[in-house]
Amino acid sequence: MLDLNYVRANLDAVRLALDARRFPVEALEDFVRLDVKRRATIAESDTLNAQRNTASREIGALMKDGKRDEADARRQEITQLKERIAELDARRDASEAQMRGLLSTLPNIPHESVPTGADETANTEVRRWGSIPEFDFTPRDHVEIGEGLKILDLERATKISGARFNILKGAGAQLERALVNFMLDVHTRWAGYTEILPPFIVNEASLFGTGQLPKFEADLFKLNDERGLYLIPTAEVPVTNLHRDEILDASDLPLKWTAYSPCFRSEAGSHGRDTRGLIRQHQFEKVELVKYALPENSFDELETLTRDAERILQLLGLPHRTVLLSTGDMGFSAAKTYDIEVWIPSQNAFREISSCSNCTDFQARRASIRFRRAGGAKPEYVHTLNGSGLAVGRTWLAILENYQQADGSVLIPEALQPYMNNLERIEI
RNA sequence: GGAGAGGUCGCAUAGUGGCUUAGUGCACCGGUCUCGAAAACCGGAGUGGGGGAAACUCCACCGUGGGUUCAAAUCCCACCCUCUCCGCCA
């Protein structure tokens, strides 16, 4: 969420930034009008409240002195004040609700280093790692490889749950588990992240905090339950909300967490896209990285977080590139985002396997996550960052495709073998 | 699921309708003292919002939302959460 005072003071800059994000900016005009109304209402209601408080105290004093008649007279006075105050409060509540409604749907302001553009064609590649594998046979896609090795069963998953679900079996299930352990170990041992195992079901306030609600409810699975609970679309939600409504100490920052979780996404509106295989599923596993950073350090922290995610691909020997997203391609809460894309031989293309964002104070304001510098300084909002480190399902299929052999078997990357009981190859 | 207790300004507590628009202790910040520190003493300090150039000032906030009252932390209703005991359960 953007800061009310910031929007008020920087209306033109905000309008420009939102326009770059392809956000309809007309709504901002109402904003100014509502704000003027709101402040006038507050001023009057505060004054009347002050009068009421004074009168009340005087009545108290009169009652004590036994002057009932005078007290009764003053009561009349207050009754009128109260009506007017109730009226003003109702108006203020309405204005504030409208402003909040509008503010909560505005996306974050892009950082100045982000390229302006309408969509992904304006993204810029910042670096590339590894060489694209060459096969002396026609490479198969992961569905064919996985089903051939009997480690992937999509048909039965459809019977049991429906489209966009999958079943891993034997060495396939083991590979998934190995990847989770491997990623968590690398992040905790070498990069100083603390492991979190969060709830996979969260409340509305948490989803508001990270920005999924109110705008993107259609992307979520909501539980049929009076409590208004949802399955998490990413561990970013529970982990970023860890210190919601708290004031931390500046010396605690940065805080770095890594969390494994399944992720549940309804994928509404992506019918027909990536229908084959594991690329786009309703349920997938992910190891997430989350940081709270000091505002002055957050963009540096984004660089290291992105490198921490890339390291996994490098240790697994998977070719990839890193792309800086343009203003038109970024997510709602992000001020700056790098996507990491892994090479997928069957598609002859790089596909997203991680998305690393600095959300600056956008989520922190929605979730009220603050810190205080030494002594009695005013609380400030932390900057929150998150990135996949990595999407496990996509890593799984990238290994199958990049490490496939002519005979249909798949080699296990060396770094992963200790996590697979030293298995070197998955074969029939 | 049943019975009971409780949620107060970082922590711990006081406060059952107006001497409290929240007291006290600890922690915190500033000062006095000291070579320096500790102790002691003096003073300060919550969050959000409105007005103001500023000094400052006003309003709201005692789990959340309603209600009663001239006046609510305090009374009433609903909900959320925590703890204890019983039952059930991976």
Side-chain angles (χ1 to χ4, degrees):
Chain A
M1 188 147 63
L2 302 180
D3 180 46
L4 171 63
N5 293 313
Y6 177 81
V7 174
R8 183 156 62 208
N10 302 280
L11 210 58
D12 289 333
V14 171
R15 188 178 290 120
L16 229 74
L18 296 184
D19 189 53
R21 299 201 56 153
R22 302 191 306 160
F23 184 88
V25 295
E26 298 78 47
L28 284 176
E29 311 309 328
D30 294 338
F31 188 82
V32 181
R33 191 177 48 77
L34 282 166
D35 186 45
V36 171
K37 226 172 89 180
R38 165 181 163 271
R39 281 188 292 167
T41 317
I42 288 175
E44 190 181 346
S45 134
D46 277 4
T47 309
L48 296 183
N49 256 319
Q51 282 177 31
R52 185 183 68 133
N53 288 341
T54 310
S56 255
R57 252 170 276 148
E58 285 167 9
I59 289 172
L62 290 170
M63 296 290 280
K64 215 178 192 177
D65 296 346
K67 299 178 183 167
R68 293 269 326 222
D69 294 347
E70 283 181 56
D72 284 342
R74 303 231 53 184
R75 267 181 212 169
Q76 285 300 103
E77 218 179 283
I78 289 179
T79 309
Q80 287 175 10
L81 279 181
K82 278 174 67 178
E83 278 173 33
R84 179 68 182 152
I85 289 170
E87 203 178 296
L88 288 164
D89 285 351
R91 270 207 265 158
R92 190 199 55 205
D93 287 349
S95 296
E96 286 185 346
Q98 281 183 62
M99 291 179 74
R100 243 198 330 277
L102 175 62
L103 264 186
S104 67
T105 60
L106 298 182
N108 201 356
I109 305 282
H111 187 245
E112 58 195 13
S113 62
V114 171
T116 302
D119 52 36
E120 70 276 0
T121 57
N123 297 348
T124 58
E125 182 176 319
V126 295
R127 57 183 166 267
R128 204 177 263 241
W129 184 94
S131 48
I132 287 166
E134 302 203 9
F135 299 95
D136 48 13
F137 56 95
T138 309
R140 292 168 277 258
D141 80 351
H142 64 277
V143 176
E144 215 178 315
I145 302 166
E147 290 181 342
L149 291 169
K150 299 193 189 309
I151 59 173
L152 173 66
D153 189 342
L154 291 170
E155 250 176 68
R156 291 195 178 84
T158 306
K159 173 177 69 182
I160 293 166
S161 300
R164 295 201 193 280
F165 286 94
N166 65 80
I167 296 167
L168 303 183
K169 241 172 43 179
Q174 200 188 350
L175 175 59
E176 179 91 359
R177 181 160 55 90
L179 282 169
V180 170
N181 283 332
F182 170 69
M183 291 178 192
L184 289 171
D185 278 354
V186 171
H187 295 314
T188 55
R189 285 181 195 165
W190 308 112
Y193 291 82
T194 300
E195 185 172 343
I196 299 280
L197 187 62
F200 303 152
I201 293 176
V202 294
N203 58 31
E204 220 171 286
S206 297
L207 287 157
F208 181 85
T210 34
Q212 280 80 12
L213 290 181
K215 249 188 141 172
F216 306 102
E217 180 165 25
D219 297 338
L220 303 168
F221 281 112
K222 183 173 191 177
L223 266 51
N224 185 11
D225 175 293
E226 328 70 58
R227 284 170 290 197
L229 300 172
Y230 297 79
L231 297 178
I232 57 171
T234 160
E236 170 199 347
V237 178
V239 178
T240 302
N241 276 282
L242 262 177
H243 295 286
R244 168 150 51 87
D245 295 323
E246 293 183 30
I247 301 177
L248 303 163
D249 202 280
S251 62
D252 295 336
L253 301 176
L255 285 168
K256 300 163 66 173
W257 298 286
T258 182
Y260 152 79
S261 86
C263 303
F264 303 93
R265 300 188 181 177
S266 77
E267 294 297 339
S270 51
H271 304 295
R273 233 191 308 162
D274 299 315
T275 49
R276 179 174 167 86
L278 298 179
I279 291 270
R280 193 174 299 275
Q281 301 281 280
H282 285 313
Q283 175 188 326
F284 62 96
E285 321 230 84
K286 184 154 63 64
V287 169
E288 184 76 358
L289 303 172
V290 173
K291 285 186 186 179
Y292 286 178
L294 290 169
E296 60 269 31
N297 297 336
S298 68
F299 285 94
D300 289 338
E301 293 286 356
L302 175 63
E303 297 301 321
T304 56
L305 185 143
T306 307
R307 297 285 188 174
D308 291 335
E310 288 171 4
R311 179 183 299 124
I312 300 292
L313 287 169
Q314 286 157 18
L315 291 168
L316 294 174
L318 292 169
H320 59 276
R321 64 172 190 173
T322 301
V323 168
L324 175 59
L325 298 193
S326 74
T327 52
D329 202 25
M330 278 194 304
F332 179 71
S333 299
K336 182 174 185 175
T337 299
Y338 291 110
D339 271 8
I340 304 171
E341 301 178 338
V342 69
W343 179 253
I344 303 295
S346 67
Q347 299 190 2
N348 205 39
F350 287 101
R351 293 298 306 261
E352 177 186 338
I353 196 166
S354 172
S355 193
C356 303
S357 300
N358 182 1
C359 298
T360 58
D361 58 359
F362 187 84
Q363 294 179 323
R365 186 172 290 110
R366 294 172 83 96
S368 191
I369 309 164
R370 293 176 292 178
F371 73 97
R372 206 193 296 274
R373 297 184 197 268
K378 278 269 169 197
E380 300 171 50
Y381 290 107
V382 304
H383 280 194
T384 62
L385 298 91
N386 67 80
S388 344
L390 305 159
V392 180
R394 289 188 181 179
T395 310
W396 189 94
L397 75 90
I399 287 176
L400 256 66
E401 296 205 8
N402 282 281
Y403 282 93
Q404 63 179 302
Q405 306 298 305
D407 63 359
S409 67
V410 171
L411 296 180
I412 304 294
E414 224 172 285
L416 219 50
Q417 290 172 12
Y419 292 87
M420 297 278 294
N421 296 324
N422 297 315
L423 188 70
E424 291 173 12
R425 180 194 291 263
I426 302 176
E427 53 200 334
I428 277 289

